[in-house]
Amino acid sequence: MRWVAIFGVAGVVVACSSSGTEAEAPASTVAAVASSTTTSMSPVAPSTSVQPDSAPVDPLAGVDALLLPAELPDGWETASIVVFPRFDRRAAEVASLVAWREGTDFDAGGVSITVGRFAEPTELVPSQIFEFVESSPLEVDGLAEVAQVARDGSFVSLVGRLDERTQVELFGDVPAEVLAMLAAGVVVDETTEDLAVVLEVEGWSSTPARLDGSHYHVGLTGPGGAFEVFVNTGAVREALYVGGTELTERLIGTRGEGYRRVQRIESEGLEFPFIEWWVPGAALETGDRLDVEMVVAILDSFTEVPASEWDERLATVSVSALDPGPPSGSEGPEPVPDTEVEQLDAVVLERIMAAVESEVGRSFGADIEVSIVDGAVLRASVPDGTFVAESTWEVLTALGLVDADDDRASAEAVRIDQLRGVCCPVTVIDTGDAAFTEIVVAHELTHLLDAEIVAPGVAMPELVDPVRALLEGNAHRVAFAYADVLAAEGASVPDPPAVFPPGVDPRLPPAVRELLEFPYDEGLAFARELVELGGTDAIDAAFASPPLSSAQVLNLDAYLAGEAAEVVPPPEVTDGDPGASGTLGAFVLRLLLAEELPGDEADELSLAWAGDAYRLSDGPSGACIDLRLSLENETAAGEVADAIDARAEFVERSGRQVDARLCSR
């Protein structure tokens, strides 16, 4: 049985409040980003693509101190800078501390303390750090409740509530009793306008873990490959030492220091290495697929660049901003009115939760409710552009994948018509079929669990979101398994509905349909391959280090090998005024090739994608796009050039690189 039911979008948790709906969100750090859930507190942007129309005029305006490498090895250069919002989007305000025993070295370990203040009274937000298990209750002075305590190896974590809007989370390699003592000593400084916390515990010292400013990542390219450095301005050195040195190697430079950390799945021999580094004024993070000594030398050379020199240093660098979305309280999805909501029967919900926990391998840590609403009510809460953004439509038009007589709003309406549920909180429509509704609930409950552990990150700004593919793919995997359980128990399981109704809806161009189906179809295949390889541990590891590109979703070997995309500078505009720039990615290249090649040939050739960059412009007849593609080898580059030649104004190939210009038809 193959279910391809269309459900709501999912992603990095913003907050699990008592009301709210969902929309896509921009990427957030480490490895990737998710499309997301949103709540009435903090609406987010409808796309992870670069949104030049809504991004700041100066995308670096929010960065107080820009740090760039002062010296690079021969042949290496800074190719791009992408600016994005702060890491933690769950709360309206966040303050972080690092604490340690006085008189000890940081290498002995420490405790991380994070306090989040929400815009309105909110249910406790589960931790995203560990898989939680219920423990004996702890009484902590100053906390209204201690919801969760967990141990993961040497780590212990605790989450509790300071008041109805504020919660505190601590984790470190200390006994649970010590963590409880520290939690009791966390005090919110009421004398400051912004959220600020201090630790008042004798024998312990603390320092702010990071400032809450903008962050950015620097793309570097050279003869050895390409990699990105994530820069967190304002972070302090002590933040690197939380958790001791287990599974790490300490690295020392001339002006900085850090660790090489390795996340491992021991049973499968898989590992995901990365380097955390500190130079005065910033914490840096990057993978270490390249020579470690070279990477350390580059990280060690990061130096603050005075604002007066920014323009000169960035003259040849592509600089863009990930749209942070509208601020809290501005336009966003409206919550479903309480009068329109019914709660799923508790017995039914308990049965579905047990099945989801068994399939996922993780447990729900708090009371869960599932709201059942009328489909029209839920769909009316979804803002225009949630599924088919204006920027995406413009790129597809320039590529000739969308015709002039196609209408974006109509395509958006088709997708919204197929909405079955959202998360978080979990809200689904009454489908009129009990079994089908339960399957939708299983899908959304999986999102609720996965949102707790997915790592915040910045994904490559492609037209499709690789992290959303992981999220939707795993939710589909669990929902399909639940459908099989119902069928085995004798339930009348309905025929699997297509993502879109049978037949070709004239309002929906085929390429748009393929983009919308990508996270469900390709994500499902990706999630199933992971489970086949390493069980649910492999899925959990993928959430900790999500795929960076659609190429990694399409090719599991590329993901496991950590094959990063090459950083490709955007091409010059051949004609007209330059517009937005971004990345198509391997999946959109597949759609473009499929216009000229048989499907299997297009699929195979698209896997040779190594990186790309585009820039839009207005041509005499409409939207145009200048495209620069990097392929794995010259043979693939020649085949790609030949395939798109008939639809391009010009195509030029040089080695592994293909430059082309295409315009709307």
Side-chain angles (χ1 to χ4, degrees):
M1 177 180 296
R2 182 175 183 271
W3 279 82
V4 194
I6 185 69
F7 304 100
V9 289
V12 175
V13 71
V14 177
C16 294
S17 66
S18 57
S19 64
T21 56
E22 176 190 69
E24 278 184 273
S28 180
T29 289
V30 177
V33 143
S35 64
S36 167
T37 62
T38 184
T39 71
S40 57
M41 293 184 298
S42 181
V44 291
S47 175
T48 58
S49 301
V50 175
Q51 301 279 339
D53 293 337
S54 54
V57 174
D58 178 5
L60 294 173
V63 180
D64 296 327
L66 183 68
L67 289 97
L68 292 173
E71 297 179 6
L72 289 172
D74 290 343
W76 283 81
E77 63 180 358
T78 302
S80 65
I81 297 178
V82 177
V83 184
F84 51 96
R86 62 185 173 88
F87 294 126
D88 197 328
R89 299 182 61 86
R90 298 179 301 165
E93 295 180 274
V94 177
S96 299
L97 296 175
V98 176
W100 66 96
R101 292 184 180 87
E102 293 176 353
T104 63
D105 191 343
F106 288 110
D107 287 10
V111 175
S112 171
I113 303 171
T114 301
V115 175
R117 176 183 287 163
F118 297 90
E120 60 187 36
T122 307
E123 295 179 4
L124 199 68
V125 177
S127 171
Q128 298 180 28
I129 299 173
F130 298 120
E131 173 185 349
F132 278 93
V133 295
E134 292 297 332
S135 178
S136 56
L138 289 178
E139 293 187 5
V140 178
D141 292 340
L143 295 187
E145 58 181 303
V146 179
Q148 298 169 314
V149 176
R151 177 172 293 278
D152 185 295
S154 63
F155 293 96
V156 174
S157 185
L158 177 154
V159 181
R161 186 191 304 280
L162 289 167
D163 56 51
E164 64 178 3
R165 288 179 47 214
T166 311
Q167 76 174 48
V168 59
E169 177 179 304
L170 302 89
F171 78 95
D173 51 353
V174 296
E177 294 74 14
V178 174
L179 218 57
M181 176 192 68
L182 296 176
V186 175
V187 178
V188 175
D189 187 350
E190 301 293 349
T191 65
T192 61
E193 181 176 350
D194 297 325
L195 178 64
V197 296
V198 295
L199 180 66
E200 298 180 351
V201 176
E202 185 177 355
W204 285 74
S205 297
S206 64
T207 187
R210 65 171 184 254
L211 297 182
D212 194 24
S214 297
H215 308 271
Y216 56 97
H217 67 87
V218 179
L220 303 169
T221 183
F227 68 99
E228 294 173 319
V229 178
F230 298 90
V231 184
N232 176 2
T233 59
V236 295
R237 177 178 67 100
E238 290 78 9
L240 299 178
Y241 296 102
V242 172
T245 59
E246 184 179 5
L247 295 181
T248 64
E249 171 189 355
R250 188 167 186 179
L251 305 168
I252 304 296
T254 57
R255 61 188 300 272
E257 59 183 313
Y259 285 106
R260 179 180 185 268
R261 302 186 184 274
V262 180
Q263 180 180 5
R264 293 192 174 101
I265 304 178
E266 299 290 354
S267 61
E268 298 298 327
L270 304 177
E271 65 179 35
F272 305 89
F274 57 97
I275 293 175
E276 290 181 333
W277 196 261
W278 183 83
V279 294
L284 312 177
E285 183 173 315
T286 188
D288 70 337
R289 305 177 190 93
L290 305 173
D291 178 76
V292 173
E293 291 186 2
M294 183 195 71
V295 173
V296 166
I298 292 175
L299 297 178
D300 204 38
S301 76
F302 267 71
T303 303
E304 184 174 338
V305 176
S308 60
E309 299 179 14
W310 285 10
D311 291 342
E312 180 180 351
R313 290 288 300 273
L314 302 178
T316 60
V317 176
S318 170
V319 181
S320 57
L322 289 173
D323 181 8
S328 178
S330 64
E331 181 181 357
E334 295 294 330
V336 176
D338 291 340
T339 56
E340 303 286 347
V341 175
E342 296 181 4
Q343 297 302 316
L344 182 66
D345 179 80
V347 175
V348 175
L349 175 57
E350 185 176 354
R351 183 179 71 246
I352 303 173
M353 288 175 59
V356 170
E357 288 176 335
S358 176
E359 189 68 30
V360 171
R362 286 176 265 117
S363 301
F364 295 96
D367 293 337
I368 304 297
E369 291 185 344
V370 172
S371 300
I372 308 295
V373 301
D374 180 77
V377 173
L378 181 59
R379 292 164 190 148
S381 70
V382 180
D384 179 60
T386 295
F387 298 108
V388 186
E390 290 276 7
S391 57
T392 299
W393 192 265
E394 186 177 7
V395 172
L396 295 177
T397 301
L399 290 171
L401 298 176
V402 168
D403 295 333
D405 55 353
D406 291 322
D407 180 65
R408 186 200 63 81
S410 296
E412 174 88 354
V414 174
R415 173 60 178 85
I416 292 177
D417 285 346
Q418 297 301 311
L419 191 65
R420 297 288 183 262
V422 296
C423 174
C424 304
V426 175
T427 305
V428 304
I429 70 169
D430 184 358
T431 66
D433 184 298
F436 185 23
T437 300
E438 288 188 28
I439 295 165
V440 176
V441 171
H443 180 105
E444 300 303 336
L445 285 175
T446 306
H447 282 325
L448 190 63
L449 279 178
D450 290 347
E452 296 177 7
I453 67 168
V454 63
V458 169
M460 178 174 295
E462 296 184 24
L463 298 192
V464 295
D465 185 347
V467 182
R468 185 180 164 205
L470 173 61
L471 288 158
E472 298 293 357
N474 194 48
H476 251 22
R477 179 185 69 84
V478 175
F480 297 167
Y482 186 71
D484 290 341
V485 169
L486 290 180
E489 293 176 349
S492 177
V493 178
D495 292 335
V499 172
F500 297 97
V504 177
D505 192 314
R507 298 173 296 169
L508 195 71
V512 178
R513 183 180 67 249
E514 294 280 353
L515 284 177
L516 294 174
E517 291 177 346
F518 169 81
Y520 301 93
D521 289 353
E522 304 299 341
L524 174 61
F526 182 73
R528 283 177 167 170
E529 285 184 288
L530 282 171
V531 171
E532 183 178 352
L533 176 68
T536 56
D537 284 347
I539 287 283
D540 292 352
F543 278 119
S545 182
L548 292 167
S549 64
S550 63
Q552 290 190 344
V553 175
L554 296 171
N555 183 357
L556 182 63
D557 289 341
Y559 167 69
L560 296 176
E563 293 180 5
E566 296 178 10
V567 179
V568 179
E572 297 294 328
V573 170
T574 307
D575 186 24
D577 295 328
S581 62
T583 302
L584 296 183
F587 184 71
V588 176
L589 175 61
R590 172 191 288 188
L591 299 182
L592 183 61
L593 295 174
E595 294 289 303
E596 307 296 333
L597 299 174
D600 56 346
E601 292 183 23
D603 293 353
E604 183 177 356
L605 186 54
S606 66
L607 295 180
W609 177 92
D612 79 73
Y614 70 78
R615 190 176 292 279
L616 293 170
S617 63
D618 290 327
S621 59
C624 292
I625 187 168
D626 284 274
L627 176 63
R628 175 164 294 159
L629 288 159
S630 179
L631 286 304
E632 289 185 347
N633 52 65
E634 294 187 15
T635 299
E639 293 176 357
V640 168
D642 291 342
I644 65 176
D645 181 64
R647 60 192 302 112
E649 290 196 353
F650 77 83
V651 175
E652 295 178 354
R653 183 178 70 84
S654 176
R656 297 189 298 112
Q657 181 174 301
V658 175
D659 288 334
R661 178 176 173 84
L662 301 91
C663 293
S664 57
R665 296 184 172 184

